[in-house]
Amino acid sequence: MGASCDCCSDSKSGNTAGNSDIDRLRVPKQVSTTESSIEWQSSGGDDTSEIDAMHRVSAVELGDFVVKRMNNKTLDRLWQHLDEDGSGQIESDEVLNILQWMGVLYVAYRFKRDGNTGPPKINKKKLKTQFVPMKDWIVTNKMQTKRQVRKNEFRKLFGAWLKEYALTLVS
């Protein structure tokens, strides 16, 4: 088990992940590039028909990760990628990209937490495919009244929205 990291522990907020090496992950400048800690898989064909265990991310897991494990330092580093238009706020057309970024971080965190070594091979198409229904639900059910999300409310809102979305799947 690894040491606590700057991505998953935040002395100001009290958020701690405990055992993770996610601090070694770098935020890629482009989702399609290869970084030293994350290997992106991109296949020529549509490799999204089967979501394997590594790429399967439930809304509850992702919501918990955002609220309990993602700290302010990580959010600051990611914000430039999440806020695509530089407005300082997240709008509905940026939600799918946000879910994909959070999914990548979560999959990498879980990979290391589970004792795996080396860089995880993350297929962004597999992540994106499963996030489209989440994005649609958030945009339709949450962002019609709350049209923009500021950074200081991001973790709390997205975490709650993802958990609420998961409840709609079981009812």
Side-chain angles (χ1 to χ4, degrees):
M1 299 233 135
S4 182
C5 66
D6 69 350
C7 170
C8 300
S9 65
D10 187 348
S11 58
K12 292 178 188 167
S13 70
N15 291 340
T16 58
N19 301 318
S20 168
D21 292 317
I22 199 166
D23 61 324
R24 293 183 9 211
L25 298 174
R26 293 186 198 155
V27 178
K29 289 185 172 52
Q30 296 178 340
V31 175
S32 61
T33 63
T34 300
E35 291 294 322
S36 64
S37 296
I38 298 176
E39 279 187 39
W40 300 101
Q41 280 186 342
S42 58
S43 58
D46 181 15
D47 194 20
T48 60
S49 59
E50 297 267 339
I51 304 295
D52 58 15
M54 181 174 146
H55 290 91
R56 190 170 298 116
V57 178
S58 77
V60 171
E61 288 175 312
L62 192 57
D64 281 345
F65 175 75
V66 170
V67 171
K68 296 177 182 177
R69 304 289 188 218
M70 185 184 291
N71 67 26
N72 290 334
K73 186 175 180 178
T74 299
L75 183 57
D76 289 343
R77 288 191 315 229
L78 280 177
W79 195 254
Q80 64 184 329
H81 301 286
L82 300 180
D83 179 19
E84 295 172 342
D85 63 5
S87 68
Q89 301 178 44
I90 300 300
E91 289 88 21
S92 60
D93 61 333
E94 298 166 314
V95 172
L96 186 56
N97 187 42
I98 291 163
L99 292 170
Q100 190 171 351
W101 276 104
M102 292 186 313
V104 165
L105 282 179
Y106 176 70
V107 167
Y109 160 77
R110 186 176 60 192
F111 182 83
K112 297 291 185 183
R113 179 199 67 196
D114 293 346
N116 296 298
T117 58
K121 293 183 187 326
I122 299 174
N123 183 314
K124 63 183 181 172
K125 289 180 183 180
K126 286 184 178 184
L127 289 175
K128 186 175 184 176
T129 297
Q130 66 183 319
F131 292 142
V132 170
M134 288 182 208
K135 181 260 317 174
D136 291 343
W137 185 88
I138 288 170
V139 169
T140 301
N141 295 286
K142 296 301 176 181
M143 295 196 81
Q144 295 301 315
T145 55
K146 177 75 176 160
R147 297 195 184 277
Q148 300 170 328
V149 177
R150 295 183 312 271
K151 183 167 55 170
N152 66 347
E153 61 188 357
F154 173 78
R155 287 191 318 214
K156 183 178 179 181
L157 279 178
F158 264 77
W161 290 351
L162 289 166
K163 290 177 185 181
E164 189 176 335
Y165 168 76
L167 290 174
T168 69
L169 299 176
V170 294
S171 53

